[in-house]
């Protein structure tokens, strides 16, 4: 027999929604072993005390976050903490040789001034931030394979950018006409108690929030600008919808060539994503539902053209906790390690 050795992996923020998704998925990943689970208020508790349904499979205590100790035990570390904390931990982990995948916004921005403005905070880890790669595999697979540090995309940017990228990359739309209307379930807000996420507040209701100022706007614009080759602004409006999981982003943009029809765009999208196993382009006239993606790492994209207005209308559905967060981070890990991009990731959703 060979010397098969699983890669030791740690998760900081294991008690959170991203953390528990990572635990669930990595438990079944054939190449890794979970050796460290970390947190703050949960430190000292058994993981199974927080998630009793996993008691048979996860027999670990959540530990305090001590970067040197974590680096000593882990080759790969996922960080699933509120914004502004990973940048205090990652530099030590990287210096000690770990690969780091951060789920927060700390390492998503190539221009740190944009981060400090929109997140209203200071940063000192400039060199570390400059080495990070934006973890959207469908666009940056080659760079992900080469890096030690991934800034995993936000959930809304994942859905929005997968819908917009082929149009921008091929110069098919006027970039500034792009409008993103997106809806998210409440798990997008994380596990901490928040009044607007109470069932009594969120149920039977649908409302926009962060209008004209949501912090995912500059993240989306950064990647759109990269694809278009010049500075791009977009209009992004998120909505909270009374369901737990899922994001539907509907993107509208004016086509440069009014002669393009739906089937042309479907052909273009299929070609663009031909090597992307986690993106599915729907058949003509089929529009994606969040339900299809829920529980899987897939992004479903539906495409339409309105000949009256000359706009492309692209709908993108993901599970915010899988393709929008933990699953995408594992997809990046697979690429960083040279493993198959689909390893350990769910292909089918929960429904029906
Ligand atoms: N939810 C989503 O859909 C998405 C979220 N993200 C991002 O991923 C990150 C994690 O999000 P999510 O899983 O929703 O968050 P949660 O609020 O569900 O969990 C946060 C985790 O952080 C831990 N934590 C908080 N403060 C500290 C601290 N000072 N030191 C150590 N641990 C701490 C908590 O641990 P403890 O219980 O021990 O306090 C908890 O495990 C965030 O940056 C979020 O913006 C990205 C994409 C999608
Ligand atoms: C419904 C809901 O509240 N969603 C979150 C998005 C979660 C996320 O992906 O945000 P990060 O950029 O911090 O990772 C929000 O709008 O803040």
């Amino acid at each position: 027999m060979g010397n098969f050795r699983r890669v030791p992996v740690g998760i900081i923020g294991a008690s959170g929604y991203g953390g528990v998704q990572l635990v669930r998925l990595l438990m079944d990943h054939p190449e890794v072993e979970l050796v460290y689970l970390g947190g703050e208020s949960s430190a000292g508790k058994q993981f199974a005390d927080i998630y009793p349904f996993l008691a048979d499979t996860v027999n670990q205590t959540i530990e305090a976050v001590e970067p040197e100790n974590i680096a000593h035990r882990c080759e790969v570390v996922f960080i699933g903490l509120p914004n502004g904390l990973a940048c205090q931990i990652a530099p030590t982990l990287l210096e000690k040789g770990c690969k780091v995948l951060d789920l927060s916004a700390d390492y998503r921005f190539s221009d740190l001034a944009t981060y400090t403005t929109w997140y209203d905070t200071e940063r000192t880890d400039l060199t570390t931030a400059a080495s990070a790669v934006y973890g959207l595999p469908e666009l940056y697979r080659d760079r992900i394979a080469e890096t030690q540090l991934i800034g995993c995309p936000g959930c809304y940017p994942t859905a929005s950018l997968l819908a917009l990228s082929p149009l921008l990359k091929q110069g098919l739309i006027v970039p500034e006409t792009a409008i993103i209307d997106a809806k998210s379930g409440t798990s997008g807000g994380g596990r901490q108690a928040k009044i607007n996420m109470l069932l009594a507040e969120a149920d039977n209701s649908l409302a926009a929030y962060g209008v004209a100022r949501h912090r995912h706007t500059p993240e989306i614009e950064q990647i759109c600008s990269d694809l278009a080759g010049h500075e791009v602004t977009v209009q992004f409006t998120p909505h909270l919808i009374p369901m737990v999981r899922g994001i539907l982003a509907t993107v509208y943009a004016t086509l440069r060539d009014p002669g393009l029809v739906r089937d042309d765009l479907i052909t273009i999208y299929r070609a663009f994503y031909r090597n992307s196993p986690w993106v599915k382009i729907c058949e003509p006239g089929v529009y994606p539902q969040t339900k299809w993606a829920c529980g899987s790492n897939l992004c479903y994209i539906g495409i339409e053209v309105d000949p009256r207005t000359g706009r492309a209308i692209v709908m993108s559905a993901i599970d915010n906790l899988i393709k929008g967060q933990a699953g995408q981070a594992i997809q990046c890990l697979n690429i960083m390690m040279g493993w198959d991009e689909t390893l350990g990731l769910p292909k089918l959703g929960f429904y029906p």
Side-chain angles (χ1 to χ4, degrees):
M1 297 299 281
N3 299 323
F4 181 72
R5 184 187 73 96
R6 287 175 184 255
V7 173
V9 169
I11 301 170
I12 309 179
S15 72
Y17 283 160
V20 69
Q21 294 307 316
L22 285 168
V23 170
R24 286 173 56 134
L25 296 172
L26 292 174
M27 266 173 8
D28 288 334
H29 193 294
E31 298 283 352
V32 310
E33 180 187 6
L34 274 180
V35 298
Y36 165 85
L37 302 180
E40 187 184 49
S41 65
S42 60
K45 289 186 186 162
Q46 281 287 319
F47 186 77
D49 288 344
I50 302 169
Y51 294 108
F53 70 100
L54 293 173
D56 286 347
T57 38
V58 186
N59 176 27
Q60 264 161 300
T61 305
I62 299 182
E63 302 177 51
V65 180
E66 293 162 355
E68 301 244 355
N69 176 277
I70 300 167
H72 185 66
R73 292 158 57 188
C74 303
E75 277 179 37
V76 173
V77 183
F78 292 88
I79 309 180
L81 302 181
N83 295 314
L85 294 176
C87 58
Q88 299 171 28
I89 300 167
T92 306
L93 299 174
L94 294 164
E95 194 184 302
K96 301 281 176 195
C98 296
K99 293 187 194 300
V100 176
L101 299 104
D102 177 31
L103 306 185
S104 83
D106 287 12
Y107 292 109
R108 294 177 194 162
F109 290 89
S110 53
D111 173 18
L112 265 198
T114 307
Y115 176 93
T116 53
T117 304
W118 283 79
Y119 287 79
D120 195 21
T121 180
E122 290 303 313
R123 285 286 289 274
T124 52
D125 56 329
L126 306 187
T127 322
T128 307
S131 73
V133 171
Y134 191 72
L136 194 57
E138 288 72 16
L139 298 185
Y140 301 114
R141 199 172 270 114
D142 293 349
R143 294 176 57 198
I144 290 168
E146 299 296 321
T147 191
Q148 202 188 341
L149 173 61
I150 299 286
C152 296
C155 45
Y156 284 122
T158 296
S160 308
L161 290 167
L162 290 175
L164 262 173
S165 294
L167 297 174
L168 281 167
K169 184 83 181 173
Q170 320 272 6
L172 298 176
I173 54 167
V174 183
E176 285 69 24
T177 63
I179 294 176
I180 303 160
D181 175 289
K183 283 115 190 148
S184 170
T186 55
S187 62
R191 193 166 185 262
Q192 326 88 308
K194 291 178 190 159
I195 288 174
N196 67 326
M197 299 295 182
L198 292 170
L199 184 66
E201 301 285 331
D203 203 14
N204 296 310
S205 188
L206 173 57
Y209 66 99
V211 180
R213 61 183 166 76
H214 194 280
R215 63 190 190 286
H216 283 170
T217 308
E219 185 182 328
I220 296 168
E221 288 178 348
Q222 166 182 266
I223 306 304
C224 288
S225 302
D226 185 30
L227 293 170
H230 59 87
E231 288 278 306
V232 168
T233 53
V234 298
Q235 202 72 62
F236 166 64
T237 307
H239 300 73
L240 187 70
I241 193 154
M243 64 183 189
V244 176
R245 289 168 86 133
I247 286 185
L248 182 73
T250 305
V251 177
Y252 306 83
T254 301
L255 289 164
R256 286 193 200 278
D257 175 357
L260 281 173
V261 296
R262 176 176 72 189
D263 285 0
D264 298 329
L265 293 193
I266 289 178
T267 304
I268 289 165
Y269 271 68
R270 291 210 162 123
F272 189 88
Y273 288 120
R274 67 188 175 283
N275 296 321
S276 295
W278 294 113
V279 178
K280 296 280 176 224
I281 308 303
C282 297
E283 292 297 317
V286 174
Y287 308 133
Q289 300 182 17
T290 53
K291 219 175 200 180
W292 302 348
C294 190
S296 93
N297 195 51
L298 283 167
C299 173
Y300 288 92
I301 292 179
I303 298 162
E304 197 52 84
V305 169
D306 185 343
R308 289 181 322 107
T309 60
R311 290 197 187 96
I313 305 163
V314 184
M315 296 133 279
S316 154
I318 60 166
D319 182 332
N320 55 298
L321 298 178
I322 310 275
K323 182 60 175 162
Q325 193 194 29
Q328 181 144 265
I330 294 171
Q331 190 183 346
C332 288
L333 173 67
N334 288 338
I335 294 166
M336 288 166 97
M337 302 299 288
W339 300 330
D340 186 303
E341 194 171 324
T342 62
L343 215 57
L345 288 168
K347 293 185 182 64
L348 284 179
F350 302 140
Y351 299 107

